[in-house]
């Protein structure tokens, strides 16, 4: 593979993205419009993300369960705002076994309703609370405009669902899980997201309050990286999720839901990728180190292969995800480009001269060209590579943070300046949160509020749109 087959980001960012997904063997198009086939390399990346999340979920007391793919249509109709929000995206089964169904079945777009039904049966007393569940599943939403990983009709995700005795406990859970997501993005994927509360217009259908992490992609558009919702008592009342409290009085529970999907793979590509392809953060990369032995003939290969094999065994035995590339029929340059395309953090090259000198060539993917390559002693290579993996994570995080911060601009009270900023970046400004003001920004700029950042200095200012005094600032951007 070669970088020549990738459209440059400057020429066509959307085409670049699709080129990288396909050339790096992450995914392919399915025969059904809007669906994707996740290839082994892409699925290995998702599995590493999944493991990072799953261990954190279990550490915070959540248990995995699984609920049906098909949901009775009447379940969705029980929560009015929820069904209105999802109606345009529903896939509905009307015929089963050759006969028309008495009740139509909705293919799972999300599971609040079916899980609410189950919680109502499982929860009787305050002793049954909190109930902390998570589900790894696929969902279907009938999207009209799709893009691999970012927005597909069927996608993989996890969805957490919990029930609590009080509003405050539910709110604490909602924010705790938002923090878990932030931790995974920051410490595993080297993506510096921004935690915040969604506006009422942008919140989840049926939620009391929604929170998100917003991340800046390489074209300066925003990506909603995940969401966490305090559902209040809306679903509890719709599905009669009730418990008797310590005074033997009947109360409705307070519920939450939160989710992160394979969209995170798209976030990794667009945050870190360059014109040569992927640049994968080491902690979630399917392959952390690739070893490329170089030998033009049998004599040279006899020299380099024992060293390469020994290094492979050493790295694997010490927990490094390592690949040995013995495709001697291909040129070294082709293989270098191939592994650069796939975003492998470290490439180790071993040629006959390296064997003689007791050295290897080490190239780091986060630093392009000759600047990222050095010759190091074979002796003591393991600790050197492990430290280099940590350095690469820090480097990618630093680059992403600097890029983000340089394209977020504060604006006080000039709507014209605000609109100019949105052409090329994010705007951070006072916002009243009204539907009217949100709609005007969207109409004028094809942008919406991303969230009200949780970490902001409190004060007073005038809404950038209507001039009404308000006490919070929001981030605005064009988004995926």
């Amino acid at each position: 593979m070669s970088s020549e087959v990738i459209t440059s980001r400057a020429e066509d960012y959307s085409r670049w993205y699709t080129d990288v997904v396909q050339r790096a063997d992450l995914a392919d198009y399915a025969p059904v419009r809007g669906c994707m086939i996740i290839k082994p390399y892409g699925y290995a990346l998702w599995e590493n993300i999944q493991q990072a999340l799953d261990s954190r979920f279990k550490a915070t007391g959540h248990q995995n369960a699984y609920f049906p793919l098909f949901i009775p249509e009447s379940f969705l109709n029980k929560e009015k705002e929820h069904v209105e929000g999802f109606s345009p995206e529903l896939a509905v089964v009307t015929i089963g076994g050759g006969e028309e169904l008495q009740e139509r079945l909705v293919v799972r777009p999300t599971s609040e309703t079916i899980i609410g039904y189950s919680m109502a049966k499982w929860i009787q007393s305050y002793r049954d609370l909190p109930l902390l569940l998570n589900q790894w599943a696929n969902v279907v939403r009938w999207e009209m405009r799709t893009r691999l990983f970012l927005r597909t009709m069927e996608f993989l995700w996890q969805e957490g669902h919990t029930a609590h005795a009080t509003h405050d406990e539910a709110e604490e859970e909602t924010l705790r899980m938002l923090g878990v997501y932030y931790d995974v993005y920051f410490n595993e994927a080297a993506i510096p997201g921004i935690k915040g509360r969604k506006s009422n217009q942008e919140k989840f259908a049926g939620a009391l309050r929604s929170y998100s992490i917003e991340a800046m992609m390489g074209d300066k558009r925003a990506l909603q990286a995940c969401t966490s919702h305090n559902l209040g008592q809306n679903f509890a009342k719709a599905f009669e999720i009730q418990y008797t409290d310590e005074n033997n009085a009947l109360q409705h529970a307070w519920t939450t839901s939160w989710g992160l999907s394979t969209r995170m793979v798209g976030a990794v590509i667009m945050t870190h990728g360059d014109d040569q392809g992927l640049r994968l953060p080491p902690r979630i990369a399917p392959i952390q180190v690739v070893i490329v032995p170089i030998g033009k003939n049998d004599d040279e290969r006899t020299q380099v292969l024992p060293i390469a094999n020994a290094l492979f065994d050493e790295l694997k035995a010490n927990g490094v995800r390592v690949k040995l590339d013995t495709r001697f029929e291909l040129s070294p340059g082709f293989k270098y480009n191939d592994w650069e395309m796939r975003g492998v953090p470290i490439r180790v090259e071993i040629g006959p001269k390296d064997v003689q000198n007791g050295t290897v060539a080490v190239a780091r993917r986060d630093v392009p060209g000759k600047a990222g390559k050095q010759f190091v002693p074979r002796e003591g290579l393991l600790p050197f590579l492990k430290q280099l993996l940590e350095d690469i994570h820090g480097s990618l995080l630093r680059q992403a943070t600097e890029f983000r911060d340089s394209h977020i601009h504060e604006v006080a009270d000039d709507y014209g300046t605000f609109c100019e900023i949105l052409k090329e970046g994010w705007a951070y400004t006072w916002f009243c949160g009204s539907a009217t003001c949100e709609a005007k920004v969207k109409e004028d700029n094809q942008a919406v509020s991303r969230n009200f950042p949780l970490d902001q200095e409190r004060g007073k200012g005038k809404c950038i749109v209507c001039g009404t005094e308000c006490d919070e600032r929001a981030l605005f951007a064009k988004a995926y």
Side-chain angles (χ1 to χ4, degrees):
M1 296 183 184
S2 166
S3 61
E4 293 177 358
V5 300
I6 306 179
T7 304
S8 73
R9 291 174 299 163
E11 178 184 347
D12 186 337
Y13 192 87
S14 179
R15 184 69 246 175
W16 165 84
Y17 174 82
T18 303
D19 285 349
V20 170
V21 171
Q22 294 189 284
R23 301 291 189 269
D25 272 343
L26 296 176
D28 200 356
Y29 292 102
V32 176
R33 185 200 68 80
C35 294
M36 68 174 173
I37 298 166
I38 305 176
K39 300 179 80 170
Y41 193 59
Y43 199 81
L45 178 56
W46 172 241
E47 282 182 315
N48 289 338
I49 292 169
Q50 188 180 37
Q51 289 166 15
L53 286 164
D54 200 60
S55 63
R56 287 166 170 82
F57 295 159
K58 288 170 179 170
T60 48
H62 301 83
Q63 294 181 302
N64 287 335
Y66 187 79
F67 294 84
L69 176 66
F70 299 114
I71 300 172
E73 189 176 42
S74 60
F75 279 27
L76 271 75
N77 294 328
K78 286 188 176 184
E79 215 294 323
K80 182 180 178 183
E81 186 179 349
H82 185 67
V83 70
E84 287 178 355
F86 275 102
S87 286
E89 300 178 348
L90 296 182
V92 182
V93 179
T94 59
I95 296 174
E99 297 182 359
E100 188 169 338
L101 301 178
Q102 289 188 339
E103 179 175 3
R104 305 197 311 172
L105 300 175
V106 173
V107 182
R108 171 175 56 214
T110 183
S111 299
E112 278 76 9
T113 57
I114 189 71
I115 293 177
Y117 162 84
S118 302
M119 285 181 169
K121 295 197 299 181
W122 299 344
I123 296 171
Q124 305 298 326
S125 161
Y126 69 91
R127 295 183 181 88
D128 299 322
L129 298 173
L131 180 59
L132 309 176
L133 300 174
N134 176 63
Q135 173 176 232
W136 292 99
N138 61 340
V139 293
V140 172
R141 297 178 184 176
W142 211 261
E143 301 280 1
M144 300 310 296
R145 299 176 63 183
T146 59
R147 186 174 298 179
L148 295 171
F149 287 111
L150 296 178
R151 193 176 293 276
T152 50
M153 290 209 304
E154 180 194 10
F155 55 90
L156 304 180
W157 77 346
Q158 60 71 215
E159 48 179 318
H161 297 268
T162 68
H164 305 266
T166 68
H167 166 275
D168 289 353
E169 289 176 16
E171 183 74 359
E172 182 182 0
E173 166 76 4
T174 305
L175 293 174
R176 177 190 298 114
M177 301 320 293
L178 190 73
V180 167
Y181 289 145
Y182 180 87
D183 179 30
V184 170
Y185 268 99
F186 191 89
N187 288 310
E188 304 291 338
I191 295 177
I194 297 176
K195 296 183 289 185
R197 190 186 78 257
K198 302 293 280 187
S199 70
N200 287 334
Q201 293 70 243
E202 292 295 311
K203 71 180 176 69
F204 178 72
L208 177 66
R209 204 171 295 115
S210 287
Y211 299 89
S212 71
I213 291 175
E214 303 293 328
M216 183 181 289
M217 302 295 97
D219 61 349
K220 300 184 285 292
R221 283 180 176 261
L223 185 77
Q224 181 176 281
C226 60
T227 49
S228 187
H229 315 289
N230 184 338
L231 301 176
Q233 294 181 308
N234 294 338
F235 286 89
K237 290 179 178 177
F239 288 91
E240 294 300 316
I241 308 172
Q242 295 178 294
Y243 70 96
T244 52
D245 64 17
E246 294 180 359
N247 298 316
N248 211 34
L250 197 61
Q251 307 284 355
H252 281 101
W254 298 77
T255 65
T256 80
S257 67
W258 27 274
L260 182 151
S261 76
T262 38
R263 169 176 274 213
M264 185 173 177
V265 174
V268 170
I269 298 166
M270 292 196 295
T271 300
H272 301 304
D274 63 15
D275 285 348
Q276 280 66 53
L278 296 174
R279 295 195 306 166
L280 293 179
R283 296 174 187 172
I284 58 172
I287 302 169
Q288 295 172 312
V289 177
V290 61
I291 303 169
V292 183
I294 303 166
K296 297 178 182 177
N297 51 49
D298 288 343
D299 181 54
E300 291 185 349
R301 293 168 191 172
T302 300
Q303 295 178 55
V304 300
L305 274 175
I307 305 298
N309 284 321
L311 178 58
F312 174 85
D313 291 341
E314 182 184 10
L315 294 179
K316 187 175 181 180
N318 284 275
V320 177
R321 296 189 291 275
V322 59
K323 171 79 174 178
L324 179 62
D325 187 349
T326 56
R327 297 176 295 173
F328 288 108
E329 72 277 9
L330 301 175
S331 70
F334 182 96
K335 289 186 281 188
Y336 300 164
N337 287 338
D338 188 8
W339 295 116
E340 284 186 357
M341 172 78 76
R342 295 169 185 266
V344 175
I346 297 175
R347 185 178 72 248
V348 177
E349 304 162 14
I350 306 173
K353 288 186 178 179
D354 299 309
V355 174
Q356 294 171 17
N357 297 331
T359 61
V360 299
V362 176
R364 50 188 293 176
R365 181 64 181 87
D366 63 310
V367 179
K370 293 181 179 179
K373 193 170 182 177
Q374 59 182 310
F375 290 90
V376 299
R378 168 65 183 90
E379 191 71 27
L381 189 58
L382 174 64
F384 174 84
L385 293 179
K386 283 198 164 186
Q387 182 57 53
L388 186 57
L389 289 170
E390 293 301 308
D391 293 346
I392 291 171
H393 175 89
S395 169
L396 291 174
L397 180 59
R398 182 174 60 255
Q399 291 176 48
T401 303
E402 290 173 354
F403 180 83
R404 181 200 68 183
D405 292 348
S406 66
H407 292 99
I408 297 178
H409 307 283
E410 290 193 36
V411 56
D413 54 10
D414 189 315
Y415 187 72
T417 300
F418 169 76
C419 293
E420 285 299 311
I421 288 171
L422 289 177
K423 291 179 180 178
E424 288 295 329
W426 293 19
Y428 180 50
T429 188
W430 298 102
F431 179 47
C432 70
S434 74
T436 302
C437 290
E438 184 103 58
K440 178 171 175 55
V441 173
K442 187 173 184 178
E443 181 180 354
D444 293 346
N445 304 280
Q446 292 76 55
V448 295
S449 67
R450 302 314 306 159
N451 63 28
F452 293 90
L454 299 182
D455 183 18
Q456 65 171 278
E457 291 184 14
R458 298 295 170 179
K460 296 287 185 181
K462 294 182 177 180
C463 173
I464 191 66
V465 184
C466 67
T468 302
E469 186 174 82
C470 48
D471 58 7
E472 282 186 299
R473 283 173 287 193
L475 283 168
F476 285 83
K478 294 179 181 180
Y480 284 98

